[in-house]
Amino acid sequence: MDLQGLTYLFVGTSFALYVGIAFLSRAGSTRDFYVASSRVHPVANGMATAADWMSAASFISMAGLIAFMGYGGSIFLMGWTGGYVILAMLLAPYLRKYGKFTVPEFIADRFYSNSARMVSVLCLIVCSITYVIGQMKGVGVAFSRFLEVEYEIGLLAGMGVVFVYAVMGGMKGITYTQIAQYCILILAYTIPAVFVSLSLTGNPIPQLGLGASMQGSDTYLLDKLDQIVRDLGFHEYTTDVRLSSLNMFAYTMSLMIGTAGLPHVIIRFFTVPKVRDARSSAGWALVFIAILYTTAPAVAGMARLNLAQTMEPAPGEHLLYEERPQWFRNWEKTGLLRFEDKNADGRIQYNADIQRNEMVKIDNDIMVLANPEIAGLPNWVIALVAAGGLAAALSTAAGLLLALAASVSHDLLKCMISPRITERQELWTSRAAMAAAISLAGYLGLDPPDFAAGTVALAFGLAASSIFPALMMGIFSKRVTQEGAVAGMIAGLSVTLLYVFQHKGIMFSASTSFLGPMPPNWFLGIEPNAFGVIGAMVNFAVAFGVSRFTPPPPDRICNLVEDIRIPVGTIERE
Amino acid sequence: MSGMTEQRARIYWRRNLALILRILAIWFVVSFGFGIVLVDVLNHVQIYGYKLGFWFAQQGSIYVFVALIFYYARRMAALDREFDVDGDEGP
C-alpha cells in the first residue's frame, strides 16, 4: 500500500479506537467526569499521565532541539523529568488525600479565600490555553504533512475526535484513550530509533547505541559527531553549554518546578484509589516517560550525524544539490528545509558561519519527522510516526481541556457563582464547558495568535512562579495566610510576566519589547524561559513576608493541613 | 479504627520530611551536580563512548529519578504500615 493509504489506515484506526474506548467509559457523574471516580489503577494511571505529559513538543520537537543544542539540550531532558520526583514527594500524595476535584479548589480552601481561587483559576486558564494552542497546531500540521489534507480540515478532524471522547467520557474516557495513545506514540518513537541505532552502530538499543562505536570502525559515535560538528564551525556537541552554567541551572530548575505546578498534570493524580497509589503512580509515569526521554538523545545525536554526513559525506566533499536524496526534496516542499546557493557552485555548503551557510533553514521538527525516511525505513513506519505524533498531541490536548472545563464548571460556576446547582446540572455544565473549550482551542488553532510559539514557555513560567509555590506553602506551612498566598502568587507571576514580556514583547509582539532579546540585558545572563524559578523565589519571599504581618490561619485550616499530611483518616484531637 | 494522635502524626511527618530531604539531596546531586556544575570534571571519565558528565545530564539522571520515586514509595508504604495508616478507608 502506498504511504498515504497506510497513513490514512493507521490514523483512521487509531481514531476509531479512541472513540470506541470512549463509549465503554462514559461518565455518569461529576466524580466520573472530573476524577474518573478515583478508580484508576496506579500503573494504568502512570501510562495515561505519560501520554498526557508528552505532547507534540516532546514527540516531535524535543529531539530536534537536542540535536542542535547538544549537551545544552539536557535542560529539557532533566527539567521535564526531574519534576516528577517533586510531584511524587511534595505534592501528589497530599493533594490526593485532600480528595477534591481541582487544583484551584485546594488553593481556595487551604487559603480560605476566593481571591486565591480567582488568581489560581486565572493562571490555570492562561497556562492551559496557551499550551493547547500548540497541540492544535501540531494536529493541523501533522494532518497537512502526512495526509496531505488541508490544515483546517485536519484541525477539525482532530477536534472532532477529542470532542467525542472527552465530552462523553470526561476524565474516565480521557484516561483510557490516553493509555491507547501512549502505546501508539511509544512504538512510533522507538521503532525508528531502534533501526537507526542498529544501522549506525550495530546496537539496537538506542540508549546504548549512542555510546557505542560506529558500525565497522573503532571510532565512537559521539567522538565522530563532536569532530564533524567542530569541523563545521559549531560548538562541540557533548560540551555545548546553553549560554552559561547558571542559565542551565535556572532553566532546568524552572522546568522542574513548572512541570510539578502544571494543573493538567497534577489532576492526573486525583484519579487513583489511595494516597500510596499517588506515590507509585508518579513512579510509573516517569518510567513510561523515561522510555521516550532516554531514547531522545540517541535520536538527536544520530539524526544530527546523519544530516551532517549527508551534506558532507567526506571532509571537504560537499553534496551536489542535484543529487540530494528523496527525503530532502520531500521536506523542502514543506518549507522546513531550505537551501540557498550563495556561492553558485551547485553544491550544499552547511556550516556554522551565518554568511556562508547555505542551509538557511533546518527546522528542528525535521529530526524526528524525517528520521524514518533518512534511515530508509519502510512506509508503514512513517505512517506509524504520523499516528504517533497525533496521539501525542491529542492526549495532551484532552488533558488540558479537562483541566480547563473542570475549572470553569467547578471552580467558577459551582464554587463561586451558583453553589446550589445539582449534581446533574454540574455534570452537564462540565460537558458544555468541555465543548466550549474545544471550540475555543480549535478557533485559536485555526488562526494562531502571533505569540503561539513562545507561549509554552509562558505556561511553564506561570506554573513555576505562581501555582507551584502556592501548593508547596499550602502543604508544608501552617503559617502562610490568605493575604500572603495571594500577594505571593501575584508577585511571582508579575515578575515572571514582566521579565518575559520586556524581552519578548507584550504578548510577544516584538515591537513592544523594551529591552529586546539581547543576552547582555538578561538578569545574571538568565534567559526569559528560565526565569520561572526566580519568580518562584519572589513568590515565597513575598508570601512569607506578608504572612508575618497578617492574622494566622484559623484552627480549622491548621487542622486541614495536618490531616492531609497523613495518608488515611483524620487526627484525633482532644 | 485507625486514627492518629497529634503526637504520632507529628512524628510521622518528621520521618516523612527526613526521607524527603535525603532523597532530594540525591536528586539534586545527580542532576544539578553531576549534570551541570561538575559536568566538566566528570567528562574526564569515559565509559565506552560516553563522557560521564554528558551521560548523567542526558540519561543517567533520569534513571536515578525513577529509582528515587520508587524508593520513596516503598519506604513510605512501610512507614504507613508502621503507623497503622495504610488501611483501606481512604477518601
Side-chain angles (χ1 to χ4, degrees), chain A residues 369-384:
Chain A
L369 295 176
N371 215 8
E373 285 166 87
I374 299 180
L377 294 176
N379 278 342
W380 67 266
V381 178
I382 302 173
L384 187 59

Side-chain angles (χ1 to χ4, degrees), chain A residues 146-385:
Chain A
F146 288 105
L147 292 169
E148 287 176 36
V149 156
E150 285 204 14
Y151 176 87
E152 288 79 13
I153 306 206
L155 192 61
L156 285 169
M159 269 169 62
V161 165
V162 174
F163 190 97
V164 171
Y165 68 76
V167 171
M168 230 196 321
M171 176 63 103
K172 212 169 141 191
I174 288 175
T175 301
Y176 294 106
T177 44
Q178 282 173 337
I179 292 175
Q181 283 155 346
Y182 177 80
C183 296
I184 295 174
L185 79 85
I186 202 66
L187 283 174
Y189 198 84
T190 53
I191 289 180
V194 163
F195 277 110
V196 172
S197 178
L198 198 57
S199 79
L200 278 180
T201 69
N203 192 324
I205 304 175
Q207 289 83 346
L208 299 178
L210 186 61
S213 54
M214 306 284 302
Q215 182 94 293
S217 115
D218 277 333
T219 324
Y220 284 119
L221 191 154
L222 283 173
D223 289 339
K224 179 140 198 207
L225 181 59
D226 275 345
Q227 189 207 331
I228 290 186
V229 151
R230 259 193 332 253
D231 288 344
L232 292 176
F234 295 100
H235 288 148
E236 185 179 74
Y237 188 87
T238 54
T239 56
D240 189 358
V241 174
R242 168 110 182 141
L243 299 182
S244 71
S245 284
L246 181 63
N247 183 56
M248 283 185 69
F249 195 104
Y251 210 128
T252 305
M253 186 64 88
S254 298
L255 291 179
M256 284 192 188
I257 63 179
T259 303
L262 285 170
H264 72 287
V265 177
I266 296 175
I267 59 175
R268 278 249 51 104
F269 295 99
F270 293 176
T271 63
V272 293
K274 310 195 201 81
V275 167
R276 68 162 184 262
D277 294 328
R279 301 178 197 128
S280 59
S281 190
W284 286 108
L286 194 56
V287 166
F288 295 123
I289 291 171
I291 296 178
L292 190 144
Y293 274 56
T294 54
T295 304
V299 172
M302 294 177 188
R304 184 87 189 268
L305 185 69
N306 269 335
L307 186 74
Q309 284 189 308
T310 305
M311 313 282 185
E312 207 171 313
E317 195 187 297
H318 300 285
L319 182 71
L320 260 177
Y321 186 63
E322 282 306 303
E323 289 175 10
R324 66 196 190 287
Q326 188 56 41
W327 64 261
F328 198 116
R329 296 166 205 262
N330 289 342
W331 290 94
E332 260 183 315
K333 277 192 280 210
T334 68
L336 290 184
L337 213 55
R338 224 169 59 234
F339 165 76
E340 258 174 39
D341 200 353
K342 293 185 183 171
N343 59 5
D345 67 345
R347 290 184 182 270
I348 304 177
Q349 264 93 5
Y350 168 58
N351 53 53
D353 183 341
I354 303 188
Q355 304 295 346
R356 290 173 37 227
N357 178 37
E358 295 180 348
M359 287 305 305
V360 289
K361 185 164 167 74
I362 307 182
D363 194 295
N364 284 338
D365 296 353
I366 293 257
M367 291 311 199
V368 167
L369 295 176
N371 215 8
E373 285 166 87
I374 299 180
L377 294 176
N379 278 342
W380 67 266
V381 178
I382 302 173
L384 187 59
V385 170

Side-chain angles (χ1 to χ4, degrees), chain A residues 4 11 22 45 108 150 175 190 202 213 220 280 301 364 372 390 396 413 416 441 454 490:
Chain A
Q4 241 196 62
V11 171
N45 191 51
E150 285 204 14
T175 301
T190 53
S213 54
Y220 284 119
S280 59
N364 284 338
L390 283 168
T396 304
L413 190 68
M416 282 181 62
I490 294 180

Side-chain angles (χ1 to χ4, degrees), chain A residues 71 94 207 211 238 279 567 572, chain B residues 4 12 16 35 49-51 80:
Chain A
Y71 161 68
Y94 321 105
Q207 289 83 346
T238 54
R279 301 178 197 128
E572 291 159 1
Chain B
M4 265 200 196
Y12 175 88
N16 185 13
Y50 281 119
K51 294 183 183 134
D80 290 350

